């Protein structure tokens, strides 16, 4: 370790403020020292440093800025107090009580992101220029109900203590937030407001409105300056009103001195008010078009500072927040739009371009571009000429006459800018009053409040004008309030109370305030006086100021009279003000020409802004108070309000001018600390007694700390206070005055903690005794209740014992009686058993005889059959043998006659051959019989094996569609097109995509649309959503019409039979009706046509014998009409089905006949179910619900597969209602993978294109069977054919669009789709007609003509016509 001795500095008046002894100091490496500055600048103070090493009398140190240097022996140093090494939370406890110690303490904490530091109850906040995670909800809960000093310094602690003191002492509080521009005053104000809103206990709408007022005021009153990106260009005092219980009831906002000159001009690298840039970034394209707005760079008022962006601000998002906040604060949409119109008006006024001209030898102004004049005049509601005259001319009233004269271009620009500033200033006042009308709710009775003051900080720019003068005057008042509260009143009260006290010198700025606005002939009064002179100018004003105050030490006169400025020595430094424009800004006048323009304006909102100016006469307007007098009056009112409140102070410090984090400018911070009086504050807080109570209040609050202290009205309060302080505080530094006790901050904290401890202890004693009394009384009640309960329980137990004994004796009696009866029963049973044995023997013998008889009968029949079969064989053999004998004899005779000597031998040989053939034939017959028997046995065995095999869906499908011929997996085209070439199976060029493939997949979440939920909500009666085979007593859904109820029950039975869950009915008669539903339709149409006029004319002509030519033409004409009639009326639904659906009187009998007359085929059931869905919209949901019910938890695999096939056919023909469609889609999605996507796609298509008019055609059934698209050949008039894919829901429009896309047809006007049957052509149009309906009609007609449906010769054409074909 290296030790060196350094002599103390010889100068005792160093910046540390302490004298050194004559002894030398021992410095070792690792020590911390103060190093005095070499330069003699005003704001250079000692800097802390750590000793690294020492060589002789030289030492090497590393200072707080991280710089290493060697110190010579003559360099003045001083040892650092241990409290200054790591830093302290409360600077009153600093051992090094000088500026360097304060500065280093702030620097250490700032580098650790500890931006808050206490000076007693005063909070010092250093702007971090970054977002710190110390303002969360957990932090709010942490600082609630905590005194200053219990937790680390935080702005929430100031807010909580002001709130606690308000409730505790019922006194208004105020929080004065001061500091230079850019020090963080606005953000501190927002944090205070958020904390008060959070802890008030009731998160009401008024709290939200108060918080939402801040974004609006910031948008219209804050702007980017060279020192602050969110500088408040106005002052505001927010007075928050609380009820007695501490709940926020309302608030009121006062605004001070808006900087209106910023509207028309800005300094370099500055912006206009935020609202303009937010509006241009956040408005929609349509809104910008309505307001004729473009980008921010296009407007002169927004580019004066050559800066239109602000780092860290999102103008678009903030505009949305501003609009939202305005709605919260009861701004209507119309009012918001009017505000936007006024802002747009200002931008257009700023872009009005003028040029100088000379008219009649007088300076004049001309408008060089009219576009912005037109827009501005339309917003103002005046004509263009009036606006131009108001800007370019001046009206003078002299001797009762009115003279209109031209003005120069410079004057015209000033008039335009004054107009803009006047409009914006009044708009800002209206916005503040609108906010107050929403949040200010005065109520009768006493209430307390907390005021938060956020006012412009001290400003000193390169060019300072009238606004900076007023702003700095306000800061002088706040500094005086701080000085008066901390120093003057403090020391005066100590003197009045005769406290032992050492007077502390401090910087008092009262002389500066006297010079500005208090003493006679002060600066503001001179400015006002010169403003009222018509010929007063800025030069004459400066001359008066120089003459009157040149000798005042706070007034600085420029060295040259040509310099139109003056200087002033403020508490924060010397500021020079440019006197040019002082009088105009102070007058704040609005020309009569502009007021006249407002009066004739058609914009009611702008007239409302100027209502006070319009109603004010000219003379009254001339006597109106100047801006400085108005500001002084409002500032005096503010200071009076602050004087009536208990203040809390927040001193904001700006660490650097670069607005960057983690940069600490020592000179800048030292200047702010010195001018804010922080050094004197620490000294007076350390030596003084900031906490004081009257003796009566002290005794009333702390008499519980020691025993024997009666209430204050029964004792000597001073003596009691002395006893309490001696017992609790001991010999610590406190003093008793004449009427008050004076305490340190630590004393107040200790007393409150002791009070909480003692009260908690006494409350525990009180609780203990109250609980003892409570539980004792409760025990007595319980004891008496237990006695009553015991009495009743004992009685109950005895009664129950008696009941048990009685029951036991009754059971004993029953047992004895049962044994007697059992004995009798056994005796009787023996006789009965004997009788039964005889009877059963008889019955068995009779049954045996009958079975024997039956066996004998069967045997006889079997033997008879065997005998008959043998007999037949013998008979067959005998007959053939006899026949062979006959033939042998015949051959012998014939051979004998022919003279053949071997006739017998030859005949015998042939005879034997015939016998062998007969025997072989008999054996062949026996083999065939055995083969038939073996086949029957094999079928029975195969059926038994298939019983346990798993279900094959393809087999179920084949069984259901057994009425279709098996023509392979794909449906062939009608035979009428067999001459056309078959398209290749993968010909993508000649086949367009089907509508199903083009439809996007639906990803809608349908998880909450469960069929079970729908059934529980809408099903009637006790019906549930699960599979059932029982007949329905009523419909599942509520149906109004009785015929619908009957139809629902018939549909249920038909669906069960289709799915195989219910057997077919037995025949009631021997005659079976094998006529299909389609045949009945044909018969019905035939009867209708036989009665028609055309058919009768055809019969008469045949009887009269017309010539063949006429007959042929007539027949062709009638055939045309027949096809037309058939195509229009053809329907696959049977007449009985349609009659039922149309509500015929015989509906019940008809449905009964349908269900019980005979078994029906799958096709008939399908037509019955789908027909009801097509013709009865009321039954569609019922049909789907019945099918879904049968598919839910269906135990039968075959039934489940049939149900999904039925559902896939139904969704292709008709869609459910809007109420059920999502539930059906959700049900389908949960179905088997083979059917779910297919059914959902068909449902979506049907729902979009509408319900079909016909049941499925043969082509559709084939496509459903194979789950493949339908191939439709479309023929053009040149003979070419295109094959398109279609589905059940395909419309003529879709096919026309596909064809147009395929052949590149851009104009489809006049093109339609046609269908031809035989020699008849019918138009399908290009609309919503279903193509498959027309094909179904053609198939039906072809079947009536004797052809098969699959061979119906229909053809589809695509052509353009200009006339209607019949």
């Amino acid at each position: 370790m290296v030790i060196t001795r350094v002599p103390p500095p010889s100068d005792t008046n160093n910046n540390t403020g302490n004298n050194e002894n004559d002894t030398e100091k021992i410095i070792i490496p690792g020590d911390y020292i103060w190093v005095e500055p070499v330069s003699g600048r005003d704001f250079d103070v000692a800097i802390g440093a750590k000793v690294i090493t020492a060589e002789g009398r030289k030492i090497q140190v590393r200072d707080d800025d991280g710089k290493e240097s060697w110190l010579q022996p003559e360099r003045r140093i001083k040892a650092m107090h241990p409290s200054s090494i790591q830093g302290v939370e409360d600077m009153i406890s600093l051992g090094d009580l000088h500026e360097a110690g304060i500065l280093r303490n702030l620097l250490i904490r700032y580098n650790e992101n500890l931006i808050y530091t206490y000076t007693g109850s005063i909070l010092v906040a250093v702007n971090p220029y970054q977002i710190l995670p110390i303002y969360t909800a957990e932090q709010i809960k942490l600082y609630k109900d905590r005194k200053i000093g219990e937790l680390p310094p935080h702005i929430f602690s100031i807010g909580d203590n002001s709130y606690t003191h308000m409730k505790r002492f019922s006194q208004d509080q105020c929080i004065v937030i001061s500091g230079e521009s850019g020090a963080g005053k606005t953000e501190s104000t927002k944090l205070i407001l958020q904390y008060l809103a959070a802890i008030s206990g009731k998160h009401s709408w008024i709290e939200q409105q108060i918080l939402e007022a801040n974004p609006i005021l910031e948008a219209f009153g804050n702007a980017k300056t060279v020192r602050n990106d969110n500088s408040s260009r106005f002052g505001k005092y927010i007075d928050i009103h609380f009820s007695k219980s501490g709940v926020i009831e309302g608030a009121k906002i006062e605004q001070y001195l808006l900087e209106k000159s910023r509207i028309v001009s800005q300094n370099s690298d500055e912006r206009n008010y935020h609202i303009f840039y937010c509006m241009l970034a956040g408005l929609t394209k349509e809104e910008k078009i309505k307001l004729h707005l473009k980008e921010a760079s296009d407007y002169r008022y927004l580019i004066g500072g050559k800066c239109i962006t602000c780092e860290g601000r999102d103008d678009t998002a903030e505009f949305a927040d501003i609009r939202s906040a305005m709605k919260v604060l009861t701004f209507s949409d119309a009012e918001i739009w009017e505000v936007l119109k006024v802002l747009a008006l200002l931008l257009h006024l700023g872009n009005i371009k003028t040029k100088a001209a000379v008219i009649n030898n007088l300076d004049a102004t001309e408008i060089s571009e009219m576009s912005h004049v037109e827009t501005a005049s339309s917003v103002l509601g005046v004509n263009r000429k009036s606006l131009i005259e108001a800007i370019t001319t001046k009206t003078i009233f002299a001797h009762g006459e009115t003279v209109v004269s031209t003005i120069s271009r410079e004057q015209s620009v000033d008039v335009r800018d004054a107009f803009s500033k006047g409009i914006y200033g009044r708009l800002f006042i209206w916005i503040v009053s609108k906010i107050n009308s929403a949040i200010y709710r005065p109520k009768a009775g006493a209430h307390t409040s907390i005021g938060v003051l956020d006012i412009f900080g001290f400003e000193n720019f390169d060019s300072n004008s009238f606004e900076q003068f007023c702003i700095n005057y306000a800061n002088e008042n706040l500094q005086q309030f701080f000085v008066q509260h901390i120093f003057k009143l403090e020391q005066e009260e100590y003197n009045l109370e005769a406290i032992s006290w050492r007077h502390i010198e401090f910087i008092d700025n009262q002389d500066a305030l006297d010079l500005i606005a208090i003493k006679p002939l002060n600066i503001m009064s001179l400015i006002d006086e010169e403003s009222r002179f018509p010929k007063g100018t800025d030069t004459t004003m400066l001359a008066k100021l120089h003459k009157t105050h040149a000798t005042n030490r706070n007034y600085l006169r420029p060295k040259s009279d040509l310099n139109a400025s003056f200087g002033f020595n403020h508490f924060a430094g010397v500021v020079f003000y440019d006197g040019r424009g002082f009088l105009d800004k102070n007058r704040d006048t609005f020309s009569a020409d502009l007021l006249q323009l407002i009066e004739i304006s058609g914009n009611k909102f702008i007239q409302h802004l100027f209502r006070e100016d319009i109603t004010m006469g000219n003379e009254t307007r001339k006597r109106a108070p100047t801006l400085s007098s108005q500001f002084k009056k409002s500032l005096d009112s503010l200071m009076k309000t602050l004087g009536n409140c208990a203040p809390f102070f927040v001193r904001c410090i700006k660490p650097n001018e670069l607005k960057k984090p983690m940069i600490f400018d020592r000179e800048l911070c030292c200047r702010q600390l010195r001018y804010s009086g922080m050094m004197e504050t620490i000294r007076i807080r350390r030596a003084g007694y900031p906490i004081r109570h009257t003796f009566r209040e002290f005794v009333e609050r702390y008499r519980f700390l020691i025993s024997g202290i009666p209430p204050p009205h029964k004792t000597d309060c001073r003596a009691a206070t002395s006893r309490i302080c001696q017992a609790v505080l001991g010999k610590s530094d406190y003093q008793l005055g004449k009427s008050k006790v004076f305490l340190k901050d630590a004393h107040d904290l200790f007393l409150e903690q002791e009070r909480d401890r003692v009260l908690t202890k006494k409350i525990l004693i009180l609780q203990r005794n109250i609980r003892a009394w409570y539980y004792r009384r409760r025990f007595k009640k319980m004891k008496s209740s237990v006695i009553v309960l015991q009495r009743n329980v004992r009685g109950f137990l005895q009664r129950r014992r008696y009941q048990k004994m009685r029951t036991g004796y009754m059971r004993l009696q029953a047992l004895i009686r049962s044994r007697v009866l059992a004995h009798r029963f056994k005796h009787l049973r023996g006789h009965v058993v004997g009788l039964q044995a005889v009877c059963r023997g008889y019955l068995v013998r009779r049954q045996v005889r009958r079975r024997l008889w039956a066996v004998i009968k069967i045997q006889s029949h079997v033997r008879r059959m065997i005998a008959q079969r043998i007999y037949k064989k013998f008979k067959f053999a005998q007959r053939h043998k006899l026949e062979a004998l006959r033939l042998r004899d015949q051959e012998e005779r014939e051979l004998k006659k022919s003279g053949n000597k071997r006739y017998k031998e030859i005949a015998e040989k042939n005879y034997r051959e015939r016998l062998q053939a007969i025997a072989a034939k008999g054996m062949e017959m026996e083999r065939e019989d055995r083969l038939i028997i073996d086949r029957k046995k094999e079928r029975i065995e195969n059926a038994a094996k298939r019983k346990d095999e798993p279900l094959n869906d393809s087999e179920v499908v084949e069984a259901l569609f057994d009425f279709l011929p098996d023509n392979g997996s794909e449906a062939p085209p009608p035979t009428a097109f067999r001459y056309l070439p078959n398209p290749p199976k993968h010909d993508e060029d000649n086949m367009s995509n089907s509508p199903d493939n083009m439809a996007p997949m639906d990803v809608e979440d349908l998880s909450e649309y469960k069929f079970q939920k729908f059934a529980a909500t809408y099903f009637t009666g006790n019906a549930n959503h699960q599979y059932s085979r029982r007949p329905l007593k009523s419909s599942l859904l509520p149906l109004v019409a009785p015929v619908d109820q009957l139809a629902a029950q018939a549909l249920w039975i038909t669906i069960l039979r289709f799915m195989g869950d219910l057997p077919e009915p037995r025949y009631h008669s021997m005659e079976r009706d094998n006529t299909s539903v389609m045949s009945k339709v044909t018969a019905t149409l035939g009867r209708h046509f036989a009665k028609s006029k055309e058919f009768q004319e055809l019969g008469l002509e045949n009887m009269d014998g017309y010539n063949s030519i006429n007959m042929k033409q007539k027949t062709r004409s009638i055939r045309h009409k027949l096809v037309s009639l058939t195509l229009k009326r053809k329907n696959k639904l049977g007449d009985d089905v349609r009659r039922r659906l149309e509500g015929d009187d015989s509906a019940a009998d008809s449905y009964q006949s349908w269900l019980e007359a005979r078994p029906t085929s799958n096709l008939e059931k399908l037509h019955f179910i789908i027909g009801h869905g097509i013709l009865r919209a009321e039954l569609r949901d019922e049909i789907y619900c019945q099918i879904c019910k049968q598919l839910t938890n269906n135990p039968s695999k075959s039934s489940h597969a049939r149900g999904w096939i039925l559902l896939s056919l139904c969704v292709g023909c008709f869609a459910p209602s809007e109420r059920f469609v999502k539930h059906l889609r959700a049900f389908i999605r949960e179905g088997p993978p083979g059917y779910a996507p297919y059914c959902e796609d068909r449902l979506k298509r049907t729902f979009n294109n509408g319900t079909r008019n016909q049941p499925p055609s043969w082509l559709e059934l084939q496509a459903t069977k194979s789950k493949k698209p339908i191939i439709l050949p479309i023929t053009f008039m040149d003979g070419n054919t295109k094959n398109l894919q279609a589905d059940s829901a395909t419309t003529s429009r879709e096919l026309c669009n596909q064809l147009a896309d395929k052949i590149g047809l851009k104009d489809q006007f006049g093109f339609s789709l046609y269908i031809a049957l035989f020699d008849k052509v019918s138009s399908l149009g290009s609309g919503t007609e279903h193509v498959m309906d027309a094909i179904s009609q053609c198939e039906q007609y072809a079947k009536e003509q004797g052809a098969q449906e699959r061979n119906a010769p229909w053809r589809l054409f695509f052509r353009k016509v200009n006339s209607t074909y019949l």
Side-chain angles (χ1 to χ4, degrees), residues 1038-1053:
L1039 300 174
V1040 178
V1043 67
D1044 291 338
Q1045 291 280 353
L1046 293 174
Q1049 297 179 32
L1051 285 167
W1052 172 257
I1053 295 175

Side-chain angles (χ1 to χ4, degrees), residues 362-376:
L362 295 175
D363 290 337
T365 305
E366 292 181 355
I367 305 298
S368 58
E369 186 178 346
M370 290 296 176
S371 60
H372 292 285
V373 176
E374 290 284 357
T375 306

Side-chain angles (χ1 to χ4, degrees), residues 880-881 883-892 894-895 900 902-918:
H880 284 79
K881 186 176 181 181
E883 180 66 20
L885 289 173
R886 187 184 63 80
L887 292 174
R888 186 188 66 178
D889 295 340
Q890 185 178 356
E891 285 180 352
E892 285 181 355
E894 290 178 352
L895 290 172
N900 193 340
R902 298 177 58 198
Y903 67 93
K904 282 188 178 183
E905 182 181 351
I906 295 172
E908 186 65 25
K909 181 181 179 181
N910 292 337
Y911 170 70
R912 293 184 183 280
E913 288 178 356
R914 290 190 186 97
L915 289 180
Q916 290 177 358
I918 292 170

Side-chain angles (χ1 to χ4, degrees), residues 594-697:
L594 296 178
L595 279 178
Q596 181 65 26
L597 183 68
I598 297 296
E599 287 184 16
I600 64 174
S601 171
N603 192 319
K604 301 299 181 184
F605 181 73
I606 294 180
Q607 284 188 341
H608 178 72
L609 297 180
F610 287 86
R611 64 186 184 280
E612 294 182 1
D613 300 87
I614 294 174
T615 55
M616 188 185 301
N618 290 331
E619 295 300 325
T620 306
R621 193 178 298 114
K622 290 180 181 179
R623 295 193 300 270
T626 61
L627 184 61
S628 61
S629 60
Q630 295 176 28
F631 181 68
K632 182 176 180 298
K633 182 179 179 181
S634 61
L635 193 59
D636 291 341
S637 174
L638 172 65
M639 302 311 297
K640 182 178 179 181
T641 302
L642 295 179
N644 295 329
C645 300
F648 285 83
F649 294 96
V650 178
R651 287 290 190 180
C652 295
I653 303 295
K654 180 168 63 174
N656 59 77
E657 295 283 6
L658 302 177
K659 298 180 284 188
K660 301 290 185 181
M662 304 309 294
I663 299 176
F664 195 86
D665 188 338
R666 295 172 54 83
E667 184 176 349
L668 175 64
C669 295
C670 181
R671 179 175 61 81
Q672 296 177 76
L673 289 173
R674 185 176 298 177
Y675 288 129
S676 65
M678 191 57 62
M679 182 65 190
E680 292 81 1
T681 302
I682 295 174
R683 288 178 179 173
I684 198 170
R685 283 288 181 179
R686 172 181 283 184
Y689 305 92
I691 307 301
R692 61 210 64 180
H693 301 281
T694 64
F695 295 138
R696 184 180 183 88
E697 292 173 350

Side-chain angles (χ1 to χ4, degrees), residues 118-385:
Y118 286 135
T119 302
S121 60
I122 300 172
L123 182 70
V124 179
V126 183
N127 193 342
Y129 289 117
Q130 60 179 323
I131 298 175
L132 299 178
I134 57 174
Y135 307 107
T136 60
E138 290 74 14
Q139 293 287 325
I140 293 176
K141 294 179 182 178
L142 183 64
Y143 280 89
K144 186 177 181 182
D145 298 330
R146 296 298 185 96
K147 292 187 176 297
I148 293 177
E150 289 188 39
L151 293 174
H154 202 290
I155 196 168
F156 288 166
S157 182
I158 299 296
D160 185 77
N161 277 266
S162 65
Y163 180 76
T164 304
H165 286 195
M166 179 197 69
K167 294 180 65 177
R168 175 178 169 184
F169 302 111
S170 297
Q171 182 184 5
D172 292 344
Q173 309 287 313
C174 69
I175 301 174
V176 180
I177 303 174
S178 59
E180 291 193 3
S181 177
K185 301 185 298 300
T186 301
E187 291 301 319
S188 298
T189 302
K190 290 192 287 187
L191 292 172
I192 288 289
L193 294 178
Q194 291 173 5
Y195 183 81
L196 293 177
I199 67 169
S200 63
K202 181 181 178 183
H203 301 291
S204 60
W205 182 245
I206 187 65
E207 296 173 5
Q208 184 65 28
Q209 287 181 315
I210 294 173
L211 295 177
E212 292 292 344
N214 204 62
I216 301 175
L217 294 176
E218 280 193 16
F220 286 87
N222 288 26
K224 177 184 181 297
T225 65
V226 292
R227 294 184 177 180
N228 189 0
D229 289 343
N230 190 29
S231 177
S232 297
R233 309 317 299 161
F234 74 106
K236 63 175 178 289
Y237 181 72
I238 305 175
D239 198 21
I240 306 172
H241 302 154
F242 294 84
S243 64
K244 291 183 178 180
S245 60
V247 177
I248 294 179
E249 290 184 333
K252 188 176 181 181
I253 299 174
E254 295 288 345
Q255 60 88 20
Y256 305 97
L257 193 66
L258 177 71
E259 185 186 16
K260 292 184 286 187
S261 62
R262 183 167 293 274
I263 293 294
V264 299
S265 64
Q266 305 90 38
N267 293 330
S268 177
D269 199 28
E270 293 188 353
R271 295 204 314 176
N272 209 321
Y273 289 106
H274 294 322
I275 184 61
F276 291 103
Y277 306 95
C278 294
M279 177 183 69
L280 293 176
L283 284 176
T284 63
K285 185 177 180 180
E286 293 75 13
E287 291 172 333
K288 279 189 175 183
I289 293 174
K290 290 181 181 179
L291 297 175
H292 305 282
L293 292 177
K294 299 178 182 178
E295 300 301 325
S297 58
D298 296 325
Y299 298 99
R300 193 185 68 83
Y301 279 171
L302 303 185
I303 59 175
K306 299 179 181 179
C307 176
I308 60 175
T309 60
C310 183
E311 183 179 356
R313 296 185 66 88
D314 186 352
D315 293 330
T316 304
E318 290 187 7
F319 184 71
D321 295 339
I322 294 166
R323 270 192 163 178
S324 175
M326 295 179 80
K327 290 188 177 181
V328 171
L329 287 162
T330 68
F331 284 76
S332 65
D333 291 336
E335 290 174 335
I336 296 174
W337 183 248
E338 290 295 333
V339 171
L340 297 177
K341 286 172 63 177
V342 170
L343 297 176
L345 169 64
L346 298 178
L347 296 180
H348 291 302
L349 285 175
N351 274 20
I352 295 177
K353 296 181 180 180
T354 58
K355 61 181 180 180
V358 177
I359 300 176
N360 298 329
N361 296 324
L362 295 175
D363 290 337
T365 305
E366 292 181 355
I367 305 298
S368 58
E369 186 178 346
M370 290 296 176
S371 60
H372 292 285
V373 176
E374 290 284 357
T375 306
S377 60
S378 65
V379 176
L380 277 171
V382 299
N383 56 50
R384 183 178 64 181
K385 181 181 179 182

Side-chain angles (χ1 to χ4, degrees), residues 1018-1033:
Y1018 296 105
F1019 278 14
T1020 60
N1022 298 324
N1024 58 19
H1025 69 289
Q1026 295 187 349
Y1027 171 82
S1028 174
R1029 299 181 63 179
R1030 298 179 180 178
L1032 290 179
K1033 296 181 179 179

